[in-house]
PDB file of all heavy atoms in Angstrom:
ATOM      1  N   ASP S 141     -24.973 -11.865  -1.719  1.00 97.00           N
ATOM      2  CA  ASP S 141     -24.550 -13.236  -1.918  1.00 97.00           C
ATOM      3  C   ASP S 141     -23.184 -13.315  -2.562  1.00 97.00           C
ATOM      4  O   ASP S 141     -22.798 -12.446  -3.426  1.00 97.00           O
ATOM      5  CB  ASP S 141     -25.539 -14.055  -2.781  1.00 97.00           C
ATOM      6  CG  ASP S 141     -26.890 -14.243  -2.049  1.00 97.00           C
ATOM      7  OD1 ASP S 141     -26.898 -14.267  -0.773  1.00 97.00           O
ATOM      8  OD2 ASP S 141     -27.913 -14.406  -2.822  1.00 97.00           O
ATOM      9  N   VAL S 142     -22.420 -14.274  -2.131  1.00 98.00           N
ATOM     10  CA  VAL S 142     -21.134 -14.560  -2.762  1.00 98.00           C
ATOM     11  C   VAL S 142     -21.076 -16.030  -3.119  1.00 98.00           C
ATOM     12  O   VAL S 142     -21.277 -16.937  -2.403  1.00 98.00           O
ATOM     13  CB  VAL S 142     -19.950 -14.330  -1.727  1.00 98.00           C
ATOM     14  CG1 VAL S 142     -18.599 -14.794  -2.340  1.00 98.00           C
ATOM     15  CG2 VAL S 142     -19.930 -12.856  -1.338  1.00 98.00           C
ATOM     16  N   GLU S 143     -20.910 -16.242  -4.454  1.00 97.00           N
ATOM     17  CA  GLU S 143     -20.758 -17.585  -5.023  1.00 97.00           C
ATOM     18  C   GLU S 143     -19.258 -17.966  -5.081  1.00 97.00           C
ATOM     19  O   GLU S 143     -18.444 -17.253  -5.619  1.00 97.00           O
ATOM     20  CB  GLU S 143     -21.341 -17.665  -6.394  1.00 97.00           C
ATOM     21  CG  GLU S 143     -21.216 -19.063  -7.080  1.00 97.00           C
ATOM     22  CD  GLU S 143     -21.716 -19.135  -8.470  1.00 97.00           C
ATOM     23  OE1 GLU S 143     -22.569 -18.279  -8.862  1.00 97.00           O
ATOM     24  OE2 GLU S 143     -21.248 -20.051  -9.207  1.00 97.00           O
ATOM     25  N   LEU S 144     -18.972 -19.070  -4.428  1.00 97.00           N
ATOM     26  CA  LEU S 144     -17.598 -19.575  -4.439  1.00 97.00           C
ATOM     27  C   LEU S 144     -17.466 -20.542  -5.627  1.00 97.00           C
ATOM     28  O   LEU S 144     -17.930 -21.731  -5.626  1.00 97.00           O
ATOM     29  CB  LEU S 144     -17.334 -20.287  -3.096  1.00 97.00           C
ATOM     30  CG  LEU S 144     -17.656 -19.548  -1.832  1.00 97.00           C
ATOM     31  CD1 LEU S 144     -17.351 -20.310  -0.616  1.00 97.00           C
ATOM     32  CD2 LEU S 144     -17.071 -18.163  -1.856  1.00 97.00           C
ATOM     33  N   ALA S 145     -16.836 -20.045  -6.667  1.00 96.00           N
ATOM     34  CA  ALA S 145     -16.970 -20.792  -7.995  1.00 96.00           C
ATOM     35  C   ALA S 145     -16.266 -22.104  -7.970  1.00 96.00           C
ATOM     36  O   ALA S 145     -16.695 -23.049  -8.686  1.00 96.00           O
ATOM     37  CB  ALA S 145     -16.291 -19.883  -9.047  1.00 96.00           C
ATOM     38  N   LEU S 146     -15.240 -22.332  -7.149  1.00 95.00           N
ATOM     39  CA  LEU S 146     -14.486 -23.603  -7.157  1.00 95.00           C
ATOM     40  C   LEU S 146     -15.233 -24.686  -6.396  1.00 95.00           C
ATOM     41  O   LEU S 146     -14.982 -25.852  -6.693  1.00 95.00           O
ATOM     42  CB  LEU S 146     -13.106 -23.378  -6.535  1.00 95.00           C
ATOM     43  CG  LEU S 146     -12.169 -22.328  -7.239  1.00 95.00           C
ATOM     44  CD1 LEU S 146     -10.831 -22.284  -6.551  1.00 95.00           C
ATOM     45  CD2 LEU S 146     -12.039 -22.638  -8.697  1.00 95.00           C
ATOM     46  N   THR S 147     -16.181 -24.306  -5.577  1.00 93.00           N
ATOM     47  CA  THR S 147     -16.867 -25.329  -4.782  1.00 93.00           C
ATOM     48  C   THR S 147     -18.380 -25.372  -5.135  1.00 93.00           C
ATOM     49  O   THR S 147     -19.109 -26.302  -4.780  1.00 93.00           O
ATOM     50  CB  THR S 147     -16.777 -25.088  -3.298  1.00 93.00           C
ATOM     51  OG1 THR S 147     -17.346 -23.789  -2.927  1.00 93.00           O
ATOM     52  CG2 THR S 147     -15.308 -25.065  -2.852  1.00 93.00           C
ATOM     53  N   GLY S 148     -18.832 -24.348  -5.822  1.00 94.00           N
ATOM     54  CA  GLY S 148     -20.273 -24.233  -6.169  1.00 94.00           C
ATOM     55  C   GLY S 148     -21.139 -23.792  -5.016  1.00 94.00           C
ATOM     56  O   GLY S 148     -22.354 -23.768  -5.101  1.00 94.00           O
ATOM     57  N   THR S 149     -20.520 -23.406  -3.900  1.00 95.00           N
ATOM     58  CA  THR S 149     -21.296 -22.951  -2.672  1.00 95.00           C
ATOM     59  C   THR S 149     -21.611 -21.462  -2.806  1.00 95.00           C
ATOM     60  O   THR S 149     -20.834 -20.689  -3.309  1.00 95.00           O
ATOM     61  CB  THR S 149     -20.431 -23.150  -1.433  1.00 95.00           C
ATOM     62  OG1 THR S 149     -20.053 -24.565  -1.354  1.00 95.00           O
ATOM     63  CG2 THR S 149     -21.195 -22.796  -0.156  1.00 95.00           C
ATOM     64  N   THR S 150     -22.778 -21.101  -2.323  1.00 97.00           N
ATOM     65  CA  THR S 150     -23.168 -19.674  -2.196  1.00 97.00           C
ATOM     66  C   THR S 150     -23.494 -19.382  -0.802  1.00 97.00           C
ATOM     67  O   THR S 150     -24.166 -20.085  -0.076  1.00 97.00           O
ATOM     68  CB  THR S 150     -24.452 -19.396  -3.047  1.00 97.00           C
ATOM     69  OG1 THR S 150     -24.152 -19.611  -4.409  1.00 97.00           O
ATOM     70  CG2 THR S 150     -24.888 -17.938  -2.868  1.00 97.00           C
ATOM     71  N   VAL S 151     -22.824 -18.194  -0.296  1.00 97.00           N
ATOM     72  CA  VAL S 151     -23.011 -17.822   1.070  1.00 97.00           C
ATOM     73  C   VAL S 151     -23.553 -16.402   1.077  1.00 97.00           C
ATOM     74  O   VAL S 151     -23.328 -15.627   0.157  1.00 97.00           O
ATOM     75  CB  VAL S 151     -21.721 -17.852   1.898  1.00 97.00           C
ATOM     76  CG1 VAL S 151     -21.148 -19.277   1.940  1.00 97.00           C
ATOM     77  CG2 VAL S 151     -20.723 -16.865   1.360  1.00 97.00           C
ATOM     78  N   THR S 152     -24.355 -16.102   2.101  1.00 97.00           N
ATOM     79  CA  THR S 152     -24.914 -14.731   2.292  1.00 97.00           C
ATOM     80  C   THR S 152     -24.034 -13.957   3.280  1.00 97.00           C
ATOM     81  O   THR S 152     -23.784 -14.478   4.344  1.00 97.00           O
ATOM     82  CB  THR S 152     -26.403 -14.782   2.739  1.00 97.00           C
ATOM     83  OG1 THR S 152     -27.162 -15.412   1.705  1.00 97.00           O
ATOM     84  CG2 THR S 152     -26.926 -13.423   2.977  1.00 97.00           C
ATOM     85  N   VAL S 153     -23.674 -12.776   2.837  1.00 97.00           N
ATOM     86  CA  VAL S 153     -22.815 -11.956   3.734  1.00 97.00           C
ATOM     87  C   VAL S 153     -23.720 -10.880   4.309  1.00 97.00           C
ATOM     88  O   VAL S 153     -24.340 -10.008   3.591  1.00 97.00           O
ATOM     89  CB  VAL S 153     -21.716 -11.268   2.918  1.00 97.00           C
ATOM     90  CG1 VAL S 153     -20.788 -10.463   3.859  1.00 97.00           C
ATOM     91  CG2 VAL S 153     -20.883 -12.328   2.254  1.00 97.00           C
ATOM     92  N   ASN S 154     -23.867 -10.846   5.647  1.00 95.00           N
ATOM     93  CA  ASN S 154     -24.787  -9.948   6.350  1.00 95.00           C
ATOM     94  C   ASN S 154     -24.007  -8.544   6.544  1.00 95.00           C
ATOM     95  O   ASN S 154     -22.761  -8.526   6.477  1.00 95.00           O
ATOM     96  CB  ASN S 154     -25.241 -10.490   7.655  1.00 95.00           C
ATOM     97  CG  ASN S 154     -26.171 -11.675   7.448  1.00 95.00           C
ATOM     98  OD1 ASN S 154     -27.097 -11.611   6.669  1.00 95.00           O
ATOM     99  ND2 ASN S 154     -25.844 -12.790   8.066  1.00 95.00           N
ATOM    100  N   PRO S 155     -24.754  -7.480   6.849  1.00 91.00           N
ATOM    101  CA  PRO S 155     -24.131  -6.232   7.051  1.00 91.00           C
ATOM    102  C   PRO S 155     -23.040  -6.194   8.133  1.00 91.00           C
ATOM    103  O   PRO S 155     -22.096  -5.331   8.063  1.00 91.00           O
ATOM    104  CB  PRO S 155     -25.322  -5.287   7.401  1.00 91.00           C
ATOM    105  CG  PRO S 155     -26.443  -5.973   6.820  1.00 91.00           C
ATOM    106  CD  PRO S 155     -26.219  -7.423   6.939  1.00 91.00           C
ATOM    107  N   ASN S 156     -23.181  -7.015   9.166  1.00 89.00           N
ATOM    108  CA  ASN S 156     -22.301  -6.942  10.284  1.00 89.00           C
ATOM    109  C   ASN S 156     -21.099  -7.940  10.151  1.00 89.00           C
ATOM    110  O   ASN S 156     -20.448  -8.258  11.226  1.00 89.00           O
ATOM    111  CB  ASN S 156     -22.987  -7.110  11.577  1.00 89.00           C
ATOM    112  CG  ASN S 156     -23.735  -8.464  11.668  1.00 89.00           C
ATOM    113  OD1 ASN S 156     -23.850  -9.151  10.617  1.00 89.00           O
ATOM    114  ND2 ASN S 156     -24.171  -8.872  12.830  1.00 89.00           N
ATOM    115  N   GLU S 157     -20.855  -8.549   8.983  1.00 94.00           N
ATOM    116  CA  GLU S 157     -19.778  -9.488   8.869  1.00 94.00           C
ATOM    117  C   GLU S 157     -19.021  -9.285   7.585  1.00 94.00           C
ATOM    118  O   GLU S 157     -19.533  -8.664   6.705  1.00 94.00           O
ATOM    119  CB  GLU S 157     -20.358 -10.926   8.948  1.00 94.00           C
ATOM    120  CG  GLU S 157     -21.258 -11.364   7.834  1.00 94.00           C
ATOM    121  CD  GLU S 157     -21.819 -12.769   7.934  1.00 94.00           C
ATOM    122  OE1 GLU S 157     -21.248 -13.537   8.779  1.00 94.00           O
ATOM    123  OE2 GLU S 157     -22.758 -13.135   7.277  1.00 94.00           O
ATOM    124  N   THR S 158     -17.880  -9.877   7.476  1.00 95.00           N
ATOM    125  CA  THR S 158     -17.077  -9.790   6.249  1.00 95.00           C
ATOM    126  C   THR S 158     -17.335 -10.979   5.372  1.00 95.00           C
ATOM    127  O   THR S 158     -17.907 -12.031   5.838  1.00 95.00           O
ATOM    128  CB  THR S 158     -15.614  -9.716   6.588  1.00 95.00           C
ATOM    129  OG1 THR S 158     -15.173 -10.920   7.170  1.00 95.00           O
ATOM    130  CG2 THR S 158     -15.303  -8.550   7.527  1.00 95.00           C
ATOM    131  N   ILE S 159     -16.859 -10.959   4.152  1.00 97.00           N
ATOM    132  CA  ILE S 159     -16.993 -12.128   3.284  1.00 97.00           C
ATOM    133  C   ILE S 159     -16.237 -13.265   3.886  1.00 97.00           C
ATOM    134  O   ILE S 159     -16.688 -14.441   3.938  1.00 97.00           O
ATOM    135  CB  ILE S 159     -16.395 -11.780   1.863  1.00 97.00           C
ATOM    136  CG1 ILE S 159     -17.261 -10.741   1.178  1.00 97.00           C
ATOM    137  CG2 ILE S 159     -16.284 -13.042   1.045  1.00 97.00           C
ATOM    138  CD1 ILE S 159     -16.739 -10.236  -0.131  1.00 97.00           C
ATOM    139  N   LEU S 160     -15.016 -12.956   4.441  1.00 97.00           N
ATOM    140  CA  LEU S 160     -14.256 -13.999   5.112  1.00 97.00           C
ATOM    141  C   LEU S 160     -15.001 -14.654   6.231  1.00 97.00           C
ATOM    142  O   LEU S 160     -15.014 -15.895   6.415  1.00 97.00           O
ATOM    143  CB  LEU S 160     -12.931 -13.446   5.539  1.00 97.00           C
ATOM    144  CG  LEU S 160     -11.962 -14.400   6.250  1.00 97.00           C
ATOM    145  CD1 LEU S 160     -11.508 -15.528   5.250  1.00 97.00           C
ATOM    146  CD2 LEU S 160     -10.673 -13.637   6.683  1.00 97.00           C
ATOM    147  N   ASP S 161     -15.668 -13.869   7.075  1.00 96.00           N
ATOM    148  CA  ASP S 161     -16.425 -14.362   8.168  1.00 96.00           C
ATOM    149  C   ASP S 161     -17.545 -15.320   7.709  1.00 96.00           C
ATOM    150  O   ASP S 161     -17.757 -16.390   8.226  1.00 96.00           O
ATOM    151  CB  ASP S 161     -17.072 -13.182   8.984  1.00 96.00           C
ATOM    152  CG  ASP S 161     -16.087 -12.398   9.707  1.00 96.00           C
ATOM    153  OD1 ASP S 161     -14.984 -12.990  10.104  1.00 96.00           O
ATOM    154  OD2 ASP S 161     -16.373 -11.183  10.061  1.00 96.00           O
ATOM    155  N   ALA S 162     -18.242 -14.866   6.668  1.00 96.00           N
ATOM    156  CA  ALA S 162     -19.308 -15.628   6.103  1.00 96.00           C
ATOM    157  C   ALA S 162     -18.898 -16.958   5.555  1.00 96.00           C
ATOM    158  O   ALA S 162     -19.519 -17.990   5.720  1.00 96.00           O
ATOM    159  CB  ALA S 162     -20.049 -14.825   5.052  1.00 96.00           C
ATOM    160  N   ILE S 163     -17.723 -16.939   4.828  1.00 96.00           N
ATOM    161  CA  ILE S 163     -17.179 -18.193   4.312  1.00 96.00           C
ATOM    162  C   ILE S 163     -16.848 -19.158   5.437  1.00 96.00           C
ATOM    163  O   ILE S 163     -17.234 -20.363   5.358  1.00 96.00           O
ATOM    164  CB  ILE S 163     -15.890 -17.896   3.444  1.00 96.00           C
ATOM    165  CG1 ILE S 163     -16.319 -17.166   2.191  1.00 96.00           C
ATOM    166  CG2 ILE S 163     -15.226 -19.224   3.112  1.00 96.00           C
ATOM    167  CD1 ILE S 163     -15.144 -16.594   1.387  1.00 96.00           C
ATOM    168  N   GLU S 164     -16.193 -18.666   6.431  1.00 96.00           N
ATOM    169  CA  GLU S 164     -15.741 -19.554   7.569  1.00 96.00           C
ATOM    170  C   GLU S 164     -17.033 -20.035   8.356  1.00 96.00           C
ATOM    171  O   GLU S 164     -17.030 -21.183   8.833  1.00 96.00           O
ATOM    172  CB  GLU S 164     -14.808 -18.811   8.452  1.00 96.00           C
ATOM    173  CG  GLU S 164     -13.524 -18.531   7.776  1.00 96.00           C
ATOM    174  CD  GLU S 164     -12.584 -17.725   8.660  1.00 96.00           C
ATOM    175  OE1 GLU S 164     -13.025 -17.078   9.565  1.00 96.00           O
ATOM    176  OE2 GLU S 164     -11.322 -17.680   8.286  1.00 96.00           O
ATOM    177  N   ALA S 165     -17.966 -19.147   8.487  1.00 95.00           N
ATOM    178  CA  ALA S 165     -19.222 -19.589   9.208  1.00 95.00           C
ATOM    179  C   ALA S 165     -19.973 -20.699   8.572  1.00 95.00           C
ATOM    180  O   ALA S 165     -20.758 -21.410   9.175  1.00 95.00           O
ATOM    181  CB  ALA S 165     -20.164 -18.370   9.411  1.00 95.00           C
ATOM    182  N   ASN S 166     -19.822 -20.725   7.194  1.00 94.00           N
ATOM    183  CA  ASN S 166     -20.474 -21.814   6.470  1.00 94.00           C
ATOM    184  C   ASN S 166     -19.520 -22.963   6.097  1.00 94.00           C
ATOM    185  O   ASN S 166     -19.758 -23.798   5.197  1.00 94.00           O
ATOM    186  CB  ASN S 166     -20.982 -21.177   5.155  1.00 94.00           C
ATOM    187  CG  ASN S 166     -22.246 -20.412   5.382  1.00 94.00           C
ATOM    188  OD1 ASN S 166     -23.321 -20.962   5.346  1.00 94.00           O
ATOM    189  ND2 ASN S 166     -22.042 -19.118   5.566  1.00 94.00           N
ATOM    190  N   GLY S 167     -18.444 -23.152   6.942  1.00 93.00           N
ATOM    191  CA  GLY S 167     -17.637 -24.328   6.811  1.00 93.00           C
ATOM    192  C   GLY S 167     -16.544 -24.233   5.737  1.00 93.00           C
ATOM    193  O   GLY S 167     -15.859 -25.143   5.425  1.00 93.00           O
ATOM    194  N   GLY S 168     -16.496 -23.046   5.059  1.00 92.00           N
ATOM    195  CA  GLY S 168     -15.466 -22.885   3.988  1.00 92.00           C
ATOM    196  C   GLY S 168     -14.195 -22.372   4.557  1.00 92.00           C
ATOM    197  O   GLY S 168     -14.004 -22.114   5.719  1.00 92.00           O
ATOM    198  N   ARG S 169     -13.192 -22.187   3.664  1.00 89.00           N
ATOM    199  CA  ARG S 169     -11.875 -21.755   4.042  1.00 89.00           C
ATOM    200  C   ARG S 169     -11.262 -20.914   2.934  1.00 89.00           C
ATOM    201  O   ARG S 169     -11.353 -21.122   1.813  1.00 89.00           O
ATOM    202  CB  ARG S 169     -10.984 -22.962   4.258  1.00 89.00           C
ATOM    203  CG  ARG S 169      -9.548 -22.581   4.763  1.00 89.00           C
ATOM    204  CD  ARG S 169      -8.767 -23.873   5.097  1.00 89.00           C
ATOM    205  NE  ARG S 169      -7.403 -23.460   5.497  1.00 89.00           N
ATOM    206  CZ  ARG S 169      -6.380 -23.356   4.623  1.00 89.00           C
ATOM    207  NH1 ARG S 169      -6.629 -23.528   3.341  1.00 89.00           N
ATOM    208  NH2 ARG S 169      -5.198 -23.058   5.116  1.00 89.00           N
ATOM    209  N   ALA S 170     -10.662 -19.762   3.393  1.00 92.00           N
ATOM    210  CA  ALA S 170      -9.926 -18.894   2.525  1.00 92.00           C
ATOM    211  C   ALA S 170      -8.617 -18.497   3.278  1.00 92.00           C
ATOM    212  O   ALA S 170      -8.673 -18.287   4.484  1.00 92.00           O
ATOM    213  CB  ALA S 170     -10.724 -17.669   2.091  1.00 92.00           C
ATOM    214  N   LEU S 171      -7.531 -18.352   2.496  1.00 90.00           N
ATOM    215  CA  LEU S 171      -6.245 -17.923   3.103  1.00 90.00           C
ATOM    216  C   LEU S 171      -6.440 -16.529   3.705  1.00 90.00           C
ATOM    217  O   LEU S 171      -7.045 -15.736   3.057  1.00 90.00           O
ATOM    218  CB  LEU S 171      -5.137 -17.997   2.125  1.00 90.00           C
ATOM    219  CG  LEU S 171      -4.740 -19.322   1.615  1.00 90.00           C
ATOM    220  CD1 LEU S 171      -3.641 -19.197   0.536  1.00 90.00           C
ATOM    221  CD2 LEU S 171      -4.231 -20.253   2.737  1.00 90.00           C
ATOM    222  N   SER S 172      -5.915 -16.313   4.911  1.00 93.00           N
ATOM    223  CA  SER S 172      -6.004 -14.964   5.506  1.00 93.00           C
ATOM    224  C   SER S 172      -4.911 -14.913   6.534  1.00 93.00           C
ATOM    225  O   SER S 172      -4.352 -15.869   6.990  1.00 93.00           O
ATOM    226  CB  SER S 172      -7.347 -14.712   6.118  1.00 93.00           C
ATOM    227  OG  SER S 172      -7.588 -15.543   7.222  1.00 93.00           O
ATOM    228  N   SER S 173      -4.596 -13.645   6.952  1.00 91.00           N
ATOM    229  CA  SER S 173      -3.616 -13.447   8.011  1.00 91.00           C
ATOM    230  C   SER S 173      -4.027 -12.213   8.879  1.00 91.00           C
ATOM    231  O   SER S 173      -4.476 -12.391   9.942  1.00 91.00           O
ATOM    232  CB  SER S 173      -2.170 -13.268   7.392  1.00 91.00           C
ATOM    233  OG  SER S 173      -1.270 -13.060   8.418  1.00 91.00           O
ATOM    234  N   CYS S 174      -3.897 -10.981   8.302  1.00 91.00           N
ATOM    235  CA  CYS S 174      -4.043  -9.829   9.109  1.00 91.00           C
ATOM    236  C   CYS S 174      -5.516  -9.601   9.439  1.00 91.00           C
ATOM    237  O   CYS S 174      -5.853  -8.925  10.466  1.00 91.00           O
ATOM    238  CB  CYS S 174      -3.390  -8.588   8.478  1.00 91.00           C
ATOM    239  SG  CYS S 174      -4.291  -8.041   7.019  1.00 91.00           S
ATOM    240  N   ARG S 175      -6.384  -9.904   8.520  1.00 93.00           N
ATOM    241  CA  ARG S 175      -7.775  -9.628   8.616  1.00 93.00           C
ATOM    242  C   ARG S 175      -8.153  -8.130   8.736  1.00 93.00           C
ATOM    243  O   ARG S 175      -9.160  -7.780   9.308  1.00 93.00           O
ATOM    244  CB  ARG S 175      -8.428 -10.458   9.769  1.00 93.00           C
ATOM    245  CG  ARG S 175      -8.210 -11.937   9.675  1.00 93.00           C
ATOM    246  CD  ARG S 175      -8.777 -12.748  10.854  1.00 93.00           C
ATOM    247  NE  ARG S 175     -10.162 -13.001  10.537  1.00 93.00           N
ATOM    248  CZ  ARG S 175     -10.609 -14.138  10.051  1.00 93.00           C
ATOM    249  NH1 ARG S 175      -9.777 -15.156   9.804  1.00 93.00           N
ATOM    250  NH2 ARG S 175     -11.918 -14.309   9.886  1.00 93.00           N
TER     251      ARG S 175
END
Side-chain angles (χ1 to χ4, degrees):
D141 292 332
V142 173
E143 179 183 338
L144 312 180
L146 300 184
T147 64
T149 304
T150 297
V151 301
T152 298
V153 183
N154 294 309
N156 61 345
E157 66 181 346
T158 66
I159 294 174
L160 182 59
D161 291 336
I163 291 171
E164 293 176 342
N166 284 273
R169 182 176 178 272
L171 292 177
S172 67
S173 181
C174 73
R175 305 180 83 97

